[in-house]
């Protein structure tokens, strides 16, 4: 999922819809997805969210109203968003954007299940940075 798979659909259009907080991506196979910023933020491929290995994922909460303040291209294979909460280290490959769009319902269900298991909801604030992190760069 991290890179561009051979023959995979590529974006033909990318539009940031600030008011509705979605990234609209049209792909070469005709698929168009409206990916909520919140979904992008909670499934960011960054080490801050995914950790550095299995079981190190950090459940993201309090991201319902997150906005996309910048979106920069990364070569010919990805974009790097900057979110209003300061998160800017996730690089979203075309494959990942396609997966987020195509599997949005399943990803939301998985997220809601993880929230319930943790005893929190989408709007629970994230713990402060003082709690320590396994990665010294975050």
């Amino acid at each position: 999922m991290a890179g561009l798979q051979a023959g995979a659909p590529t974006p033909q259009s990318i539009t940031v819809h600030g008011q509705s907080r979605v990234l609209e991506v049209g792909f070469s196979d005709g698929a168009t997805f409206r990916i909520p910023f919140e979904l992008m933020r909670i499934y960011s491929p960054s080490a801050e969210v995914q950790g550095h290995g299995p079981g190190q994922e950090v459940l993201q909460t309090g991201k319902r109203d997150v906005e996309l303040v910048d979106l920069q291209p990364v070569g010919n294979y990805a974009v790097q968003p900057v979110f209003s909460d300061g998160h800017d280290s996730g690089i979203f490959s075309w494959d990942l954007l396609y997966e987020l769009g195509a599997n949005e319902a399943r990803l939301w269900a998985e997220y809601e299940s993880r929230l319930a298991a943790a005893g929190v909801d989408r709007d629970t604030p994230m713990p402060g940075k003082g709690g320590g992190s396994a990665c010294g760069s975050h």
Side-chain angles (χ1 to χ4, degrees):
M1 203 182 345
L4 185 61
Q5 297 175 15
T10 55
Q12 303 299 295
S13 63
I14 298 177
T15 306
V16 175
H17 296 281
Q19 189 169 3
S20 56
R21 289 195 291 277
V22 296
L23 182 69
E24 184 174 340
V25 186
F27 284 89
S28 57
D29 66 352
T32 299
F33 304 112
R34 292 176 56 86
I35 308 166
F37 298 161
E38 180 184 12
L39 188 73
M40 291 177 64
R41 179 62 182 83
I42 63 177
Y43 281 102
S44 172
S46 71
E48 179 181 338
V49 174
Q50 299 300 323
H52 293 285
Q56 294 185 3
E57 299 85 1
V58 178
L59 180 61
Q60 302 295 301
T61 57
K63 307 302 179 190
R64 184 189 304 260
D65 295 325
V66 74
E67 296 180 11
L68 194 60
V69 297
D70 195 19
L71 188 68
Q72 292 297 318
V74 177
N76 293 321
Y77 67 93
V79 290
Q80 184 169 16
V82 176
F83 294 95
S84 59
D85 66 352
H87 183 71
D88 64 357
S89 58
I91 295 176
F92 289 73
S93 68
W94 305 148
D95 296 344
L96 177 56
L97 289 173
Y98 198 96
E99 168 147 339
L100 289 173
N103 298 299
E104 180 178 347
R106 177 182 57 80
L107 293 170
W108 277 122
E110 288 175 5
Y111 177 59
E112 289 171 357
S113 179
R114 290 174 29 225
L115 290 171
V120 296
D121 65 29
R122 286 170 61 190
D123 298 314
T124 300
M126 288 291 291
K129 293 254 183 197
S133 172
C135 181
S137 67
H138 303 295

